[in-house]
Amino acid sequence: MEDIKPYNTLFLDRDGVINQQRPYDYVKTTGEFIFIDGALEALRLLSPLFKHIIIVTNQRGVGKGIMTRKDLEEIHAYMINEVSGQGGRIDKIYVCTDTSDYCKNRKPNTGMALQAKDDFPDIDFTKSIMAGDSISDMLFAKNAGMRGVFIGNKYGPGEVSKTLYQAHYADLLSFAQAFFL
């Protein structure tokens, strides 16, 4: 049976969408990884609605030597375990640890989206949503031909052009609840 849902893949940023950001710092340990209120419930609600749920995250702290790749893998294993324990899922995590803004995999460039398409050939970017809290996330969505959903309000009024996204929600839970209205 053909999937009749309008969207088949949800791409998510990590820091500022799923977990709290650490201003002027990086999440370097599982102890520093703090879920944003409602994020686990949001992932539980969103899981049955999408064929794929994929995280795409820039993690420059590894490239700068502030943390190791092993540290990052432990954080992600912790996150996946907590999400799964609450009835949600994350199908795959793509990471760019490069410090150069010109790296093809670093958002807003589309390298991580293309990696996901290689791993999941049924991904259709025109039927995908990117939910993120930064301008680079919204540019990533636009560059890949996805619908952009802007999460949070870390920017002041007018700092993010409304042409970069199609919807705006205070947090991931508000976005997830909108599917049920």
Side-chain angles (χ1 to χ4, degrees), residues 33-45:
F33 187 95
I34 300 168
F35 283 95
I36 292 173
D37 288 344
L40 289 169
E41 181 181 352
L43 288 164
R44 179 184 60 77
L45 292 171

Side-chain angles (χ1 to χ4, degrees), residues 7 38 59 89 109-110 114 122 124 129-130 138 140 168:
Y7 301 103
Q59 294 294 321
R89 73 173 208 286
N109 300 319
T110 59
L114 297 174
D122 62 325
D124 178 347
I129 295 173
M130 171 63 197
M138 296 304 96
F140 171 83
H168 179 221

